[in-house]
Amino acid sequence: MTSWLAKLRRLFNVLGDGVEASAMVAWPSTNDFIRAGEATRRLTRTGLIARHGSWITPTANAQNWLESGKNAHLVLILHRHVRFIGELMSTLERGSTSHEELLIVARSRYGFRWESLTPVRTRTSWLRVTGMVDIFDGEVHLTEAGRALLSDLELGKPDADEGDAPAVLPSTPTAIADLLAALDDVRLHRRARAAGFYIPGQQEEAGWIETLRVLTEGAMPSITVGGLANLCCRTHGISASSASSALDTLKSIGLVARISSDRLAATGAAQAWLDTDQSVNLARIVHAHISYFGEILFDLDTVGVKPTAKGLAERSSHYGIDTAQGLPPAAVTGRLNLLLACGLVTKISQTFFKVTPLGRAFRDSVRCLTPQQLVELHEEEFASVPPTDVVEAEQIAAKIEDSAHDSGEPERLEVAVIAAFNYLGMPSRHIGGATTDSPDGEVRTGSGVHGRILAVETKTAKNGEVSEEYGRPLTLPGQRSKINAEATIYIGPGFERRLLDAVDDDLQVAVVLTSLLAEAVRRQGVTPLTPAQLGPLVDPLLRSDQRRDLLAKEWNAQQRLADLELSVAIVLHNEAQDPLTEGAWLEIKDIRRELRKLGHRADEEMIMKALHFLTSPRIAVAECAAKAGSPAEEPKYEYRATMTLGTIWRRIEAPGRQWRRSSSRNDE
């Protein structure tokens, strides 16, 4: 990338004060000759080249860039003269995206009539070589440099959409107005998660709204559960299990409700919607009953949130207080399609959505939950000791990242690295490489006799890349012999290619980037791993580019187990709150079915692990009982919650608080 910029600088130097377009110039190298007009053909509208008749000269802008040497200066010039430079960066501020999706944005939002990806790729190439974007995994990503520059750009406005004038909402019937008026922050938080969002029928041309209308009318004045399921099967030709999912959705969005153990009836709000035949009233009911519905309309206009089902699913985790896990993409897709049917959003591509004027009017008329309100609710409802270990993790990780570039005081990195390994549960001590045959530190991979001894060698680099000359690993064997170490952990912010190959090929050296060590520390504060699970971090038989993927598998597995434990607790809690259940006991198969509605596909073994934790004597937030049966039968077990969800949360947090309190007393 830097070679391309070097060629551009050389071109401006070759042009000097100006040349004839037909003149031959030595470019891009001294051995290549090309006509000046041909060399500058693609630069004529960039603000970098000026033509006066047949005379070509670099502009004052080009000269200023040559003198400043700042890539941001070059991008500012390009943005002032070429459309869809800063605007492209602004699009990426929502999240990374593909060239194909950028082409759609350029055409739908800025009026370009491009038929190919070439104009988009040309712009991303300029931005890539200047460091404003990066391209990997098939997507274009905004860099920190690009994000910083955006504040200095005056962006062009997208072409006006048809009907962008403020929309007028229909009046709200009394039954629906009462629902909305009751929505305080606590009720907003307690809306149904509706992770198994399913509506049968065609989505296009208000097909979903017609499905909801038919099923709601079928429940007037009332109908058996089986009767409504049969109506659903007959109308849409679906299976009994799909019909059951549709009925669950119908109940969760507030259109029908149980009036006995086997009968359903349309709610008063649903009847008000049918009377008015206004889709906005349907949206009002849905918003009052399920989480993350109206909130989507704010997030679609929020910088940094990708306006796709996947991007919004990731964002939805910011709204969960009972679970740190967000909604599955399928559940968000269902919400988006219902918002689309109601006219509150529109599609600008196959995967991108945007809010309509009606959608903005709707979201401004209803009370929505914000992530900040959830933080406040969390602090109020689940008040606990501040997460000191998480704060400590961030402090250690920040020191690693900062000191890795401090070549003037290399000991800072040594100290930060030793603190990191101690935090990760690997007993470590700082030695300090006062001489070349002494390691910077010692790490044990486990407690006492269970741990292998590893030497630590750290390298700093101001520019982020340790040079081959500075990082020569010739002294590593001697350092290991000093402390009887089996291998060396060789740590730095980055390494020149030949140096990296040399140390990566050594089967007694584990090359670890400071960025990965910092990430491991940060994740340890939230998703702690055992020293054995952290093995890939220091395994000398692995190459440096293999470590993160293996650690990510461990982090993900640990988080999935935590998500499952909490979801099982929610299932047991919800069953205990249902007035129509007897005893609130659930078998494994029942728990597994309810988990599927929350988006979990867990096998029996995983569910049993979660239940063993929840029913353990120290936690005891759930209880287990053997189900009565004949003596010849294998015993079957049932489970139920023993306390409310808020108490469950505090009960699980309690041991950590108690350990901290005991530790502080011992310190005294």
Side-chain angles (χ1 to χ4, degrees):
M1 293 190 294
T2 54
S3 63
W4 193 92
L5 291 175
K7 289 176 183 177
L8 185 62
R9 293 189 183 95
R10 175 171 169 73
L11 176 61
F12 293 152
N13 288 326
V14 166
L15 294 176
D17 294 328
V19 298
E20 288 283 343
S22 59
M24 301 297 291
V25 294
W27 187 82
S29 72
T30 55
N31 297 322
D32 298 313
F33 288 88
I34 188 174
R35 294 188 186 278
E38 181 61 23
T40 59
R41 179 172 57 84
R42 296 184 179 181
L43 300 175
T44 53
R45 297 183 181 180
T46 61
L48 299 170
I49 294 293
R51 293 197 64 155
H52 307 281
S54 61
W55 194 255
I56 299 175
T57 62
T59 63
N61 284 329
Q63 295 293 347
N64 290 338
W65 170 61
L66 284 176
E67 293 170 5
S68 72
K70 294 180 179 179
N71 290 343
H73 190 172
L74 178 59
V75 176
L76 286 170
I77 297 168
L78 292 172
H79 172 68
R80 286 198 294 267
H81 292 84
V82 181
R83 287 187 67 198
F84 205 57
I85 294 289
E87 293 77 14
L88 186 154
M89 294 165 61
S90 178
T91 301
L92 294 176
E93 196 172 18
R94 287 177 170 271
S96 59
T97 190
S98 66
H99 283 96
E100 289 79 5
E101 290 168 333
L102 286 171
L103 175 61
I104 291 169
V105 171
R107 294 179 61 178
S108 63
R109 300 290 286 158
Y110 294 94
F112 290 100
R113 297 185 179 182
W114 297 333
E115 296 295 333
S116 74
L117 293 173
T118 301
V120 176
R121 291 191 185 279
T122 299
R123 286 159 172 77
T124 58
S125 295
W126 277 91
L127 292 171
R128 188 181 189 186
V129 299
T130 53
M132 301 299 128
V133 306
D134 196 4
I135 303 174
F136 56 90
D137 293 339
E139 292 192 331
V140 187
H141 305 253
L142 189 66
T143 64
E144 288 305 314
R147 202 176 301 278
L149 182 62
L150 263 177
S151 60
D152 295 331
L153 301 181
E154 182 178 347
L155 301 177
K157 294 182 179 179
D159 292 346
D161 294 318
E162 292 183 10
D164 258 357
V168 178
L169 294 172
S171 58
T172 311
T174 302
I176 299 175
D178 290 344
L179 273 179
L180 298 176
L183 286 179
D184 56 18
D185 288 348
V186 173
R187 286 187 173 87
L188 280 169
H189 149 58
R190 290 178 177 168
R191 289 173 297 172
R193 187 161 182 260
F197 196 96
Y198 171 67
I199 301 173
Q202 295 295 319
Q203 300 167 10
E204 293 78 11
E205 298 181 4
W208 271 14
I209 292 180
E210 184 59 27
T211 293
L212 295 176
R213 179 182 288 109
V214 168
L215 293 178
T216 304
E217 288 175 343
M220 295 171 62
S222 70
I223 190 173
T224 64
V225 174
L228 192 56
N230 288 335
L231 173 63
C232 194
C233 291
R234 291 197 312 271
T235 306
H236 298 287
I238 58 177
S239 66
S241 61
S242 295
S244 176
S245 297
L247 263 58
D248 286 340
T249 299
L250 211 63
K251 288 186 288 184
S252 66
I253 63 177
L255 296 184
V256 301
R258 282 183 182 269
I259 57 173
S260 71
S261 60
D262 67 342
R263 294 194 73 81
L264 298 166
T267 63
Q271 294 181 47
W273 161 53
L274 293 176
D275 290 341
T276 63
D277 198 27
Q278 293 282 352
S279 59
V280 168
N281 285 327
L282 170 62
R284 287 164 170 159
I285 298 170
V286 175
H287 173 71
H289 285 87
I290 68 170
S291 64
Y292 202 54
F293 189 73
E295 290 79 5
I296 287 177
L297 302 175
F298 282 100
D299 282 346
L300 283 173
D301 278 346
T302 298
V303 171
V305 178
K306 194 170 183 178
T308 64
K310 182 180 178 182
L312 293 165
E314 293 172 356
R315 172 69 172 176
S316 68
S317 64
H318 292 271
Y319 292 83
I321 196 169
D322 291 336
T323 173
Q325 150 193 10
L327 290 167
V332 176
T333 298
R335 287 160 165 78
L336 284 167
N337 285 328
L338 188 53
L339 289 165
L340 183 66
C342 293
L344 304 183
V345 303
T346 187
K347 276 189 171 184
I348 61 174
S349 75
Q350 189 62 30
T351 56
F352 274 47
F353 292 81
K354 71 172 183 177
V355 187
T356 64
L358 184 64
R360 292 190 179 93
F362 172 84
R363 76 184 184 195
D364 293 340
S365 70
V366 297
R367 189 184 182 99
C368 291
L369 201 57
T370 67
Q372 180 56 39
Q373 288 170 323
L374 265 183
V375 169
E376 294 167 359
L377 267 176
H378 183 98
E379 292 172 349
E380 179 180 341
E381 190 169 347
F382 302 119
S384 63
V385 175
T388 54
D389 51 343
V390 177
V391 174
E392 181 186 1
E394 179 56 39
Q395 291 172 342
I396 294 172
K399 287 178 181 177
I400 292 172
E401 293 169 333
D402 180 55
S403 60
H405 300 274
D406 187 357
S407 300
E409 294 185 50
E411 189 174 346
R412 289 184 61 217
L413 180 59
E414 297 171 13
V415 172
V417 165
I418 295 304
F421 280 112
N422 276 316
Y423 182 82
L424 293 173
M426 300 183 189
S428 308
R429 66 186 178 97
H430 181 222
I431 298 173
T435 61
T436 56
D437 61 347
S438 295
D440 294 331
E442 173 189 292
V443 170
R444 288 181 179 268
T445 58
S447 177
V449 297
H450 300 292
R452 297 180 295 117
I453 299 176
L454 303 175
V456 174
E457 177 70 7
T458 63
K459 296 294 180 183
T460 59
K462 186 175 182 180
N463 66 354
E465 192 170 86
V466 178
S467 67
E468 184 181 10
E469 180 181 4
Y470 170 57
R472 288 174 182 167
L474 301 178
T475 60
L476 298 185
Q479 293 176 0
R480 290 194 291 270
S481 66
K482 277 264 187 178
I483 58 173
N484 296 318
E486 295 182 18
T488 299
I489 311 173
Y490 194 73
I491 302 172
F495 303 92
E496 286 186 355
R497 172 50 56 188
R498 286 195 293 185
L499 172 60
L500 179 60
D501 288 341
V503 287
D504 243 355
D505 289 341
D506 190 330
L507 298 183
Q508 287 187 283
V509 177
V511 181
V512 179
L513 297 180
T514 51
S515 58
L516 178 59
L517 183 58
E519 181 182 8
V521 169
R522 286 190 174 99
R523 285 181 178 261
Q524 192 75 355
V526 180
T527 313
L529 300 182
T530 66
Q533 291 171 318
L534 285 165
L537 181 65
V538 295
D539 187 347
L541 300 182
L542 295 174
R543 298 187 68 82
S544 60
D545 58 1
Q546 297 174 315
R547 301 185 190 284
R548 193 190 180 283
D549 287 345
L550 293 174
L551 286 171
K553 290 180 181 178
E554 296 288 352
W555 289 324
N556 292 338
Q558 193 79 350
Q559 186 59 56
R560 283 196 301 271
L561 180 58
D563 292 342
L564 179 61
E565 289 166 347
L566 186 50
S567 294
V568 169
I570 290 171
V571 166
L572 297 176
H573 165 78
N574 290 345
E575 184 69 12
Q577 301 303 308
D578 190 336
L580 297 177
T581 62
E582 295 183 7
W585 292 101
L586 290 176
E587 294 184 37
I588 294 289
K589 62 181 178 62
D590 302 319
I591 296 172
R592 192 174 182 183
R593 184 186 64 247
E594 294 302 314
L595 285 172
R596 284 200 295 269
K597 295 178 183 178
L598 295 177
H600 277 292
R601 294 292 188 269
D603 58 29
E604 186 170 322
E605 182 181 356
M606 290 295 294
I607 296 173
M608 285 302 301
K609 283 183 180 179
L611 287 167
H612 284 155
F613 171 69
L614 296 173
T615 58
S616 62
R618 184 74 170 94
I619 302 298
V621 299
E623 61 182 341
C624 171
K627 187 177 181 180
S630 68
E633 291 179 335
E634 285 285 330
K636 292 184 178 180
Y637 295 95
E638 298 176 310
Y639 300 84
R640 68 178 177 185
T642 58
M643 53 193 74
T644 65
L645 194 58
T647 307
I648 289 174
W649 191 291
R650 284 188 283 271
R651 180 77 172 178
I652 292 174
E653 285 185 332
R657 290 199 300 269
Q658 292 162 353
W659 278 45
R660 288 193 189 97
R661 190 175 297 115
S662 296
S663 176
S664 63
R665 287 172 180 167
N666 291 337
D667 291 341
E668 293 173 0

